[in-house]
Amino acid sequence: MKTEFLKITGNAEEDREIILSAAKVIKNGGLVAIPTETVYGLAGSALIRESAPKIFAAKGRPSDNPLIVHIAEPSDAERLAYTTPLYYSLAEKFMPGPLTMILKKKDIVPSTVTGGLDTVAIRCPAHPIAHELIKVSGHPIAAPSANRSGIPSPTRAEHVLEDMDGRIEMIIDGGECDIGLESTVIKLEENGCIILRPGAVTAEMLSEVCESVTISKAVIEPAIAAEIKAESPGMKYRHYAPSAEVILIDADDNTFEDYVRRNSDGKYGVLTSDDDAQKFSGAVVLSLGKKGDAREASKRLFNLLRQADEIHLEKVYAQLPEQDGEYLAYNNRLIRAAGCKIIKLGKK
Ligand code: TXA
Ligand code: MG
């Protein structure tokens, strides 16, 4: 199949044409990759039974790993799922935005979308292109990240083209994604929630609305993530990994620097800040931005992991930041990129 690659220009008329032709693809049961504020999504109708299997096939993703359904307004969830008062309290604060809530599904959502589960993941994206496409097509949109399964999610349209050229009808290029890591996924309970996948909406932010916020063990304990049957099925697969080996070190700055220097063979890169870049003279520096800037590091991570492969690095060394709220999502992705292996050295 020929994949159309269409660039958003900022010219209202031209962009409208792009949305209209993308909406046509969706209504005909086809697939369009779209920008969202988190990562690029691989969009198909969440109401047409045949669309989800096409998404799984294009990604090479196991079909028991359910898809997120994207809606234009929080109240659009009524058609798809059984909402609760807590859903609306959270929606008021975090929708549109990078938060996905798991609710009990209604029959209208095909089981192909939810991997056979009786729940459905609902998200209301803030990106104008995603929002417009849902509105104009009149279909809620099932969309996983638009990468081939297992490798880093795409934060730029060129990444999608690398992975999906010839596999889907259309790619819309809306520039680089703002956040760079996927949405926070939560399961709702009576007055609280459980974080199944950390993202830009942090536990601290959620606790402004929820009486209790629990972080699923699979999120923070990598050994458990690798072994247990995770509540969020996506968490059980090796994920976000480039071909280069990611070597993740839990140590203070000096010990990390020392370790990298002692192991500096082959063509290797280091994920580090601009502030520390000059310490790693023999390495390709993969810059995370300013030291301690969790947002910038999150925005850059997937792009840097893809760059590592483009320039054929054999190894990428990375230091594990403190497990504080802001770095939780970054750490979670980095740990999975390293195949859940952490080398602990000395004290921090
Ligand atoms: O930011 C995002 O969420 C992006 C953009 C495109 O919206 N989408 C995304 O989708 O990351 P995906 O399919 O790559 O990840 C969805 C995650 C998976 O870990 C999946 O297992 C979990 O959400 N999930 C989906 N439906 C679920 C359900 N009913 N119960 C538990 N987990 C669910
Ligand atoms: Mg994904």
Side-chain angles (χ1 to χ4, degrees):
M1 148 183 345
K2 181 158 171 20
T3 301
E4 252 191 297
F5 189 91
L6 303 173
K7 216 177 167 70
I8 294 298
T9 60
N11 173 306
E13 240 170 71
E14 286 173 16
D15 293 348
R16 178 89 190 150
E17 281 305 313
I18 293 178
I19 297 287
L20 285 173
S21 55
K24 210 157 145 194
V25 174
I26 297 290
K27 285 193 275 191
N28 287 332
L31 307 183
V32 182
I34 55 166
T36 83
E37 73 277 26
T38 57
V39 299
Y40 273 77
L42 182 52
S45 168
L47 299 179
I48 301 175
R49 250 201 110 69
E50 293 72 30
S51 294
K54 291 184 194 167
I55 294 177
F56 290 117
K59 275 182 71 78
R61 168 164 169 161
S63 60
D64 68 342
N65 188 0
L67 306 174
I68 294 175
V69 178
H70 298 69
I71 54 179
E73 313 295 336
S75 60
D76 294 348
E78 294 300 336
R79 199 176 162 202
L80 309 165
Y82 296 94
T83 60
T84 63
L86 183 57
Y87 167 82
Y88 281 105
S89 311
L90 286 162
E92 198 171 317
K93 206 160 169 89
F94 301 113
M95 282 184 168
L99 179 67
T100 297
M101 292 190 244
I102 313 272
L103 297 169
K104 205 160 164 28
K105 89 175 191 65
K106 289 188 174 168
D107 287 343
I108 191 174
V109 183
S111 59
T112 47
V113 169
T114 58
L117 298 177
D118 62 357
T119 51
V120 59
I122 300 283
R123 164 158 133 75
C124 182
H127 197 291
I129 299 298
H131 180 84
E132 278 304 291
L133 181 60
I134 300 164
K135 269 183 52 185
V136 172
S137 69
H139 285 239
I141 278 176
S145 49
N147 51 294
R148 274 183 295 109
S149 199
I151 66 172
S153 298
T155 55
R156 301 176 180 199
E158 302 83 66
H159 300 161
V160 182
L161 191 63
E162 279 161 26
D163 285 14
M164 293 295 161
D165 197 17
R167 293 169 170 254
I168 61 176
E169 279 81 357
M170 188 183 287
I171 298 171
I172 301 181
D173 180 359
E176 189 176 11
C177 299
D178 264 356
I179 295 173
L181 298 181
E182 306 86 345
S183 62
T184 307
V185 177
I186 61 172
K187 191 168 137 187
L188 299 188
E189 306 209 293
E190 184 107 327
N191 292 309
C193 70
I194 304 172
I195 298 181
L196 304 181
R197 179 177 74 181
V201 174
T202 61
E204 197 183 13
M205 290 157 76
L206 290 166
S207 58
E208 285 170 28
V209 180
C210 297
E211 269 174 32
S212 74
V213 179
T214 319
I215 300 174
S216 162
K217 272 194 174 158
V219 168
I220 29 184
E221 293 177 35
I224 292 176
E227 278 163 31
I228 66 162
K229 189 178 176 307
E231 278 185 277
S232 186
M235 284 307 190
K236 73 184 173 191
Y237 304 105
R238 181 165 180 260
H239 241 130
Y240 316 117
S243 305
E245 185 188 0
V246 177
I247 301 170
L248 184 54
I249 316 285
D250 187 9
D252 61 42
D253 288 358
N254 290 338
T255 313
F256 175 63
E257 186 190 339
D258 194 50
Y259 183 88
V260 173
R261 192 168 300 130
R262 281 191 287 111
N263 290 278
S264 55
D265 54 331
K267 194 170 177 195
Y268 69 100
V270 182
L271 278 170
T272 189
S273 64
D274 290 337
D275 311 59
D276 288 341
Q278 83 291 347
K279 294 181 182 172
F280 302 100
S281 51
V284 175
V285 167
L286 302 166
S287 171
L288 296 164
K290 204 164 158 294
K291 195 166 178 147
D293 187 341
R295 269 194 207 176
E296 191 59 33
S298 299
K299 181 170 177 167
R300 293 186 190 195
L301 178 65
F302 286 153
N303 186 37
L304 292 172
L305 292 178
R306 281 182 178 254
Q307 263 179 33
D309 281 349
E310 265 164 41
I311 55 175
H312 306 294
L313 296 182
E314 289 161 23
K315 291 175 181 169
V316 174
Y317 292 94
Q319 190 182 6
L320 188 70
E322 295 290 339
Q323 288 284 20
D324 74 352
E326 281 256 290
Y327 270 108
L328 188 64
Y330 173 87
N331 287 2
N332 172 268
R333 306 315 193 271
L334 192 57
I335 289 169
R336 277 158 186 76
C340 294
K341 256 192 357 221
I342 302 175
I343 301 174
K344 275 190 186 288
L345 297 174
K347 279 263 160 282
K348 283 210 199 192

